[in-house]
Amino acid sequence: DTGVSQNPRHKITKRGQNVTFRCDPISEHNRLYWYRQTLGQGPEFLTYFQNEAQLEKSRLLSDRFSAERPKGSFSTLEIQRTEQGDSAMYLCASSLGVRGLATDTQYFGPGTRLTVL
Amino acid sequence: KNEVEQSPQNLTAQEGEFITINCSYSVGISALHWLQQHPGGGIVSLFMLSSGKKKHGRLIATINIQEKHSSLHITASHPRDSAVYICAVSGGDKLIFGTGTRLQVFP
């Protein structure tokens, strides 16, 4: 399968614990996005990378959240000191990200569902 | 008020019916996307359009840039079309999503 993959698919943790999610994009894709989706809502943008550079972060991304894409391939999203309000589906997407292209199709992973008890 | 509004929020239909889902937006965009999300979370891109109309199988998407409005049509609906349909707009590098329309098609 050469699509976007995310691990783990499900994570249950206790309040105050740290969690880390991984996203592996489609191999030739330069751009990688993280979104968060709560029940009954559409996804909300968190952050995105062009290769290894993190170009934009949403105000939703508090100091407890950090994302990396160290070699411009896979990415990790870490949440420190989790809170019950962090419970959501965390979605990763990737796109070609061709320079000068206004927009291109994003391909989504299956998501990581986080439950904070 | 959300930047991307969809209607209706929920929609039920009998197999074979013609379905229309509407999307209005209030920001400047470079493209509008229609996405399909099945139970379990997986999201698939259906269309990306910046003008006019696109057709893929039984799905048709239209956009009116002046009116900031788009519609997704499903002809001859089928129970396998049951999913959440999400409208999203891109004005820069990121997508801004609507809350989705939950469609259920009954046999």
Side-chain angles (χ1 to χ4, degrees), chain A residues 54-69:
Chain A
Q54 188 173 17
L55 295 189
E56 188 173 346
K57 290 171 61 173
S58 164
R59 285 170 293 176
L60 292 175
L61 218 62
S62 75
D63 291 345
R64 297 184 297 106
F65 288 71
S66 62
E68 292 183 341
R69 194 183 183 197

Side-chain angles (χ1 to χ4, degrees), chain A residues 94-115:
Chain A
S94 70
S95 69
L96 277 172
V98 174
R99 195 177 298 276
L101 186 67
T103 187
D104 54 1
T105 298
Q106 294 186 21
Y107 296 83
F108 287 80
T112 294
R113 183 170 296 281
L114 172 66
T115 302

Side-chain angles (χ1 to χ4, degrees), chain A residues 31 33 35 37 40-43 45 48 56 89 91 102-106 108 110, chain B residues 30-31 33 35 37 40-43 45 48 86 90 92-95 97-99:
Chain A
R31 286 196 184 156
Y33 303 81
Y35 298 95
Q37 185 177 28
Q41 300 297 313
F45 169 78
Y48 91 98
E56 188 173 346
M89 176 77 85
L91 294 161
T103 187
D104 54 1
T105 298
Q106 294 186 21
F108 287 80
Chain B
S30 53
H33 306 250
L35 307 155
Q37 185 170 30
I43 293 178
S45 180
M48 180 175 67
I86 303 173
S90 51
D93 297 320
K94 64 179 185 283
L95 294 178
F97 296 82
T99 54

